[in-house]
Amino acid sequence: MTESSAHPALWPAPHATGAVDATVTVPGSKSVTNRALVLAALSSEPGWLRRPLRSRDTLLMAEALRAMGVGIEEGVGPDGSGEAWRVIPAGLHGPATVDVGNAGTVMRFLPPVASLADGPVHFDGDPRSYERPLHGVIDALRTLGARIDDEARGALPLTVHGAGALDGGPVAIDASSSSQFVSALLLSAPRFNQGVEVRHTGRALPSMPHIRMTVDMLRAVGAQVDEPETGGEPDVWRVSPSALLGRDLTVEPDLSNAQPFLAAALVTGGRVTVPDWPLRTTQPGDALREIFTAMGGSCELTESGLTFTGSGRVHGIDVDLGEVGELTPGIAALAALADSPSTLSGVAHLRLHETDRLAALTKEINNLGGDVTETADGLVIRPRPLHGGVFQTYDDHRMATAAAVIGLAVPGIEVENIGTTAKTLPDFPDLWTGMLDADPDTVGVTPGALGAPTERPGA
């Protein structure tokens, strides 16, 4: 009996037999979808959200807002052009119970919304959610006038005792463990009586593109935002009180979720096209164009999308990923297959994500024969010949997709709980095998084409 049959939860990662050549339509952005849902719920009129992502995290957000009284109707847009959600704002109310799962956006973005509700809103979630930092949002909301019962944990579970309004005003927070602390306050700030002035007082902020995304989306619905990027004080954001406008928003593809598919082109020396890649975006995943080019590929961005072509060799990289930390697992997977060492830095905050991603990547790649060492703020990866084995995911979607990338070059990789990818990328296994099935090249990968360390995968 094989290990896969003994443990049905294990997913045998497909091994590439040639250069991929495929077009992959990536579902919508989780980050955009969940921000758009919050802003639409707080608007003064109904709005449309077109091509939203339907995943665990976004459905949790929608259900949480419904629990507080917001109408969210799922169907097709007014012109019949595809799936869309109609968001109908209403008076926010409790009592309500919110299941955050393990979604950082839900657990951090919604307590400020709940402070505007009339009545108590209780938040709970997966066991891992209890370990993720929430103190920045809790402490800030208390400073701004909210009443929150968390039994001094600074984490879930907790209850926000909404009073129907919140004073708002100035607040200082340390958001160095998560930029979502800043975004959480900014998203609801137009509804605070005094708006908000958020001053970050800690170390360098991680994931700044996500804060830029929040600011851009606020402005798109009529909010007035002063920020460091436009001449404001460093690490200070100000949002004025105002009504928000209902909008008709089309959600961009999730560029970070495009990462494993682009990585497949890099590993196999193939070509992958992602339609509708935006010409301008605040998504952190847009950095893949530069990072993956440095690792050995080339890309062409047109109005129709992005085409990425690999050379069949993966080069090591020395890169600060502080602004794009969510890309780290996929980059680490490629670095393990590279022809030279890599140093990934600026991502100490990943220890507080869905799992401790630095420890998890180190353990799982090393269990396959790799040589990964943790540093204070990242990883040093020295490529070695890898072999097959079970790759644990720790209920982390990006660990699962990283394992799939390694499996392209290394036979015998079995991924524990591939279903965790449903958090942000529904149907990932079908998308992955569909990409490989679209491959017209039936010859084997040329020995050495994946770099010296994996010249004989599994050896």
Side-chain angles (χ1 to χ4, degrees), residues 386-410:
L386 302 181
H387 56 73
V390 175
F391 196 103
Q392 302 290 331
T393 66
Y394 309 89
D395 295 323
D396 186 333
H397 55 131
R398 300 206 191 278
M399 289 293 293
T401 53
V405 170
I406 293 175
L408 291 172
V410 181

Side-chain angles (χ1 to χ4, degrees), residues 16-390:
T17 58
V20 299
D21 188 356
T23 296
V24 179
T25 300
V26 178
S29 164
K30 175 205 73 174
S31 298
V32 173
T33 299
N34 275 357
R35 282 166 172 78
L37 282 170
V38 171
L39 291 172
L42 297 176
S43 294
S44 58
E45 56 192 356
W48 286 98
L49 187 58
R50 299 174 186 266
R51 293 170 57 182
L53 173 67
R54 287 184 57 86
S55 72
R56 187 186 186 213
D57 280 16
T58 60
L59 293 176
L60 286 169
M61 178 68 82
E63 284 304 310
L65 291 169
R66 288 187 180 111
M68 287 186 273
V70 178
I72 302 176
E73 301 173 353
E74 301 182 37
V76 296
D79 57 1
S81 60
E83 184 174 8
W85 293 351
R86 178 74 162 166
V87 183
I88 305 170
L92 299 170
H93 63 76
T97 298
V98 169
D99 176 10
V100 309
N102 191 19
T105 52
V106 181
M107 72 178 72
R108 291 165 182 152
F109 291 178
L110 289 189
V113 175
S115 73
L116 301 169
D118 184 7
V121 180
H122 182 68
F123 290 79
D124 209 336
D126 297 352
R128 171 62 180 174
S129 71
Y130 294 9
E131 303 172 24
R132 301 186 67 181
L134 200 53
H135 55 85
V137 174
I138 294 171
D139 294 346
L141 287 174
R142 285 184 175 137
T143 298
L144 297 174
R147 179 182 161 213
I148 299 176
D149 178 13
D150 69 332
E151 298 183 359
R153 282 183 295 265
L156 292 170
L158 60 85
T159 300
V160 178
H161 297 274
L166 192 69
D167 289 339
V171 64
I173 62 172
D174 180 353
S176 54
S177 61
S178 176
S179 68
Q180 289 177 354
F181 294 169
V182 174
S183 287
L185 298 171
L186 299 184
L187 287 167
S188 293
R191 290 283 302 273
F192 298 166
N193 293 337
Q194 302 174 44
V196 79
E197 176 187 279
V198 180
R199 185 178 299 271
H200 167 61
T201 59
R203 304 183 309 275
L205 270 168
S207 304
M208 278 296 297
H210 279 128
I211 297 180
R212 297 185 194 111
M213 177 187 294
T214 298
V215 170
D216 279 5
M217 294 184 68
L218 276 162
R219 288 174 173 159
V221 295
Q224 179 180 335
V225 186
D226 295 325
E227 58 163 339
E229 298 289 317
T230 55
E233 292 182 58
D235 290 338
V236 177
W237 293 261
R238 295 184 180 90
V239 180
S240 302
S242 67
L244 298 179
L245 306 175
R247 292 297 194 198
D248 187 335
L249 172 70
T250 298
V251 178
E252 299 173 352
D254 193 314
L255 306 188
S256 294
N257 277 340
Q259 182 183 37
F261 304 101
L262 302 182
L266 190 57
V267 170
T268 68
R271 177 177 61 190
V272 168
T273 297
V274 177
D276 302 319
W277 192 288
L279 297 175
R280 178 191 174 276
T281 182
T282 52
Q283 288 194 59
D286 195 45
L288 289 168
R289 293 190 291 138
E290 178 180 353
I291 294 170
F292 278 8
T293 296
M295 297 187 79
S298 62
C299 64
E300 180 183 10
L301 178 61
T302 67
E303 291 186 357
S304 61
L306 178 76
T307 297
F308 186 81
T309 305
S311 64
R313 298 193 74 88
V314 181
H315 304 318
I317 192 170
D318 186 342
V319 61
D320 184 336
L321 298 175
E323 290 205 345
V324 293
E326 65 194 52
L327 304 179
T328 302
I331 293 171
L334 285 172
L337 304 174
D339 56 13
S340 59
S342 296
T343 300
L344 315 183
S345 60
V347 287
H349 61 285
L350 294 189
R351 294 187 170 97
L352 302 171
H353 275 221
E354 280 81 348
T355 187
D356 179 341
R357 284 179 171 166
L358 300 185
L361 287 164
T362 300
K363 179 178 179 182
E364 297 310 311
I365 294 175
N366 286 350
N367 281 348
L368 303 178
D371 182 357
V372 182
T373 303
E374 279 193 64
T375 65
D377 72 337
L379 301 171
V380 174
I381 303 171
R382 303 171 188 84
R384 297 286 186 271
L386 302 181
H387 56 73
V390 175

